[in-house]
């Protein structure tokens, strides 16, 4: 049985090839509908179109930020990629292997390389279990090392995220929110994955703690050659950590570009509205706000054509009739809008 240091050493060596930039994860035409049941026999009476035809590619060693309003389907994309939600259709390729076709031991082995950091760290931890055992749980499931070797891995992972050795014996209720999120990061890191989905990992934390957690994630990425899908609704956070940014609206991808390109030149009206809401840390400067009218439509009955057209300030007749294709308008800049030539 391999000792605890082996996976850490092998992953650290991967940091030297971070810049090779091959496509580690490919999401193709991902669809996830949730059934709505009603009546005496609880038959399916409608479908919630949470994710509808989403495609995205994540290169090895990079961070892709996924942003949008609450309820747009960001978290569902992440959970479905890991088969925590059963997909309706589409495919996810991870390092050349189609994830949705895996079952049993093959799926278990694949999940060692694909981990998730949950939004609510307290809800994801067993309150009756010391956090050292929670961090070691994945090692036990995958039968990595003996108890002493697993303990050494746990201690090293806790140190990596800024916690102390004695914390391994404490319970989740004895930690602050920021410390619990560090524990969640340590647990995801214990198996030395290649790819981590961070599902709004800092949304419930104070601003000062947010920066600490983000810096930990960036440092770990550089050390272990990690690849992130970073889900968030705070564009300032996404700008700080991401290499490329994808914008979702009502289950659809509306724009994707490199971080600098997207923040300098947003093309989709929805992205422009999101950017206008970012506060400027200078009281002498003002940004023209784009106030969207109305509420986000229900995914139970989304609008025809472009899903954003009922709230779009520049929509015209064709927008309500035909859905715009998600197409590349310049190098690595894709957008779904009829107004963009």
């Amino acid at each position: 049985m391999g000792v605890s240091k082996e996976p850490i050493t092998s992953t650290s060596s991967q940091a030297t090839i971070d810049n090779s930039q091959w496509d580690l994860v490919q999401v193709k035409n991902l669809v996830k509908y949730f059934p709505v049941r009603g009546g005496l026999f609880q038959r399916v009476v409608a479908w919630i179109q949470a994710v509808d035809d989403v495609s995205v590619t994540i290169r090895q060693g990079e961070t892709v930020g996924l942003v949008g309003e609450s309820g747009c389907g960001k978290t569902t994309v992440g959970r479905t990629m890991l088969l925590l939600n059963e997909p309706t259709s589409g495919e996810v390729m991870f390092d050349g292997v189609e994830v949705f076709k895996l079952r049993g031991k093959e799926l278990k082995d694949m999940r060692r390389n694909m981990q998730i950091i949950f939004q609510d760290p307290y809800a994801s931890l067993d309150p009756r279990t010391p956090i050292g055992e929670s961090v070691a749980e994945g090692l036990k499931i995958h039968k990595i090392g003996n108890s002493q070797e697993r303990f050494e891995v746990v201690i090293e992972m806790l140190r990596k995220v800024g916690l102390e050795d004695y914390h391994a014996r404490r319970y989740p209720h004895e930690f602050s929110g920021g410390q619990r999120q560090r524990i969640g990061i340590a647990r995801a890191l214990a198996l030395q994955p290649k790819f981590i989905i961070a599902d709004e990992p800092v949304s419930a934390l104070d601003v000062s703690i947010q920066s600490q957690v983000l810096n930990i994630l960036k440092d770990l990425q550089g050390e272990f050659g990690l690849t992130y899908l970073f889900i968030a609704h705070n564009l300032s956070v996404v700008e700080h950590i991401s290499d490329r940014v994808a914008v979702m609206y009502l289950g659809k991808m509306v724009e994707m570009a490199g971080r600098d390109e997207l923040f300098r030149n947003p093309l989709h009206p929805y992205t422009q509205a999101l950017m206008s809401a970012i506060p400027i840390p200078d009281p002498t400067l003002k940004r023209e706000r784009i106030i969207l009218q109305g509420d986000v439509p229900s995914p139970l009955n989304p609008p025809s054509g472009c899903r954003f057209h009922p709230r779009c300030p520049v929509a015209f007749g064709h927008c309500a009739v035909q859905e715009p294709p998600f197409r590349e308008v310049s190098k690595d800049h894709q957008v779904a809008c009829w107004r963009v030539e």
Side-chain angles (χ1 to χ4, degrees):
M1 185 70 67
V3 297
S4 63
K5 301 296 181 184
E6 182 178 342
I8 297 172
T9 303
S10 63
T11 310
S12 297
S13 66
Q14 292 177 8
T16 61
I17 58 173
D18 281 350
N19 295 325
S20 54
Q21 293 288 290
W22 71 87
D23 292 341
L24 180 67
V25 182
Q26 295 174 295
V27 181
K28 301 178 182 178
N29 307 114
L30 183 64
V31 175
K32 175 58 183 176
Y33 291 176
F34 292 98
V36 178
R37 301 182 183 274
L40 181 63
F41 297 102
Q42 289 296 292
R43 293 172 176 163
V44 176
V45 296
W47 294 91
I48 297 175
Q49 301 178 30
V51 176
D52 195 2
D53 195 22
V54 165
S55 297
V56 63
T57 297
I58 305 174
R59 300 161 189 155
Q60 195 277 337
E62 77 167 348
T63 300
V64 170
L66 185 59
V67 302
E69 291 173 286
S70 297
C72 71
K74 307 184 300 294
T75 295
T76 303
V77 168
R79 293 179 66 90
T80 306
M81 286 172 63
L82 299 182
L83 270 180
L84 299 179
N85 293 330
E86 194 68 27
T88 301
S89 64
E91 65 178 40
V92 172
M93 302 292 294
F94 177 78
D95 215 5
V97 178
E98 191 168 345
V99 175
F100 293 166
K101 291 185 176 179
L102 301 179
R103 293 294 183 269
K105 185 179 183 302
E106 291 180 336
L107 178 60
K108 178 181 177 181
D109 292 342
M110 178 63 72
R111 280 180 167 158
R112 179 178 176 179
N113 288 314
M114 303 174 71
Q115 292 291 303
I116 185 169
I117 301 169
F118 293 100
Q119 179 178 0
D120 185 353
Y122 189 67
S124 65
L125 295 171
D126 187 340
R128 298 167 295 182
T129 302
I131 63 101
E133 294 184 23
S134 293
V135 174
E137 186 175 11
L139 300 171
K140 292 180 182 178
I141 291 173
H142 289 273
K143 300 179 181 179
I144 298 173
N146 56 38
S147 58
Q148 179 59 34
E149 291 167 344
R150 290 194 290 266
F151 177 75
E152 292 175 4
V153 172
V154 168
I155 295 302
E156 181 150 7
M157 292 302 102
L158 292 179
R159 291 174 180 173
K160 292 287 185 186
V161 299
L163 296 176
E164 302 294 337
D165 297 7
Y166 62 84
H167 285 142
R169 298 186 296 272
R170 292 188 174 181
Y171 291 84
H173 72 272
E174 299 180 78
F175 295 92
S176 66
Q179 288 176 319
R180 290 174 193 150
Q181 197 57 277
R182 292 169 189 251
I183 294 166
I185 295 171
R187 185 172 58 174
L189 195 65
L191 288 171
Q192 303 303 300
K194 297 178 181 178
F195 176 57
I196 293 179
I197 294 176
D199 184 12
E200 303 202 35
V202 298
S203 62
L205 306 179
D206 295 337
V207 174
S208 59
I209 306 301
Q210 285 184 14
S211 63
Q212 294 175 18
V213 172
L214 291 174
N215 288 334
I216 288 173
L217 290 172
K218 293 188 74 171
D219 291 344
L220 293 173
Q221 183 176 38
E223 182 174 356
F224 296 114
L226 298 171
T227 303
Y228 293 138
L229 175 64
F230 190 91
I231 299 170
H233 59 262
N234 187 328
L235 284 168
S236 299
V237 169
V238 170
E239 184 180 16
H240 175 72
I241 198 171
S242 301
D243 299 301
R244 290 188 296 147
V245 181
V247 183
M248 282 187 69
Y249 180 81
L250 203 62
K252 290 279 189 181
M253 198 79 78
V254 297
E255 189 166 4
M256 184 169 186
R259 175 193 60 198
D260 295 338
E261 169 68 13
L262 189 79
F263 280 82
R264 181 181 65 250
N265 183 33
L267 298 178
H268 197 280
Y270 177 62
T271 310
Q272 294 170 358
L274 291 180
M275 296 296 182
S276 74
I278 301 176
I280 300 175
D282 187 340
T284 64
L285 298 178
K286 291 185 179 181
R287 175 180 280 141
E288 183 180 352
R289 280 294 310 273
I290 301 175
I291 306 297
L292 298 178
Q293 303 299 317
D295 297 323
V296 180
S298 170
L300 273 170
N301 186 27
S304 61
C306 175
R307 295 192 174 184
F308 185 60
H309 85 264
R311 306 175 69 198
C312 181
V314 296
F316 63 106
H318 191 62
C319 298
V321 177
Q322 187 173 357
E323 180 181 333
F326 189 63
R327 58 193 176 89
E328 189 170 67
V329 294
S330 61
K331 183 174 175 55
D332 286 335
H333 196 156
Q334 298 166 290
V335 65
C337 181
W338 290 117
R339 285 287 190 182
V340 178
E341 296 296 332

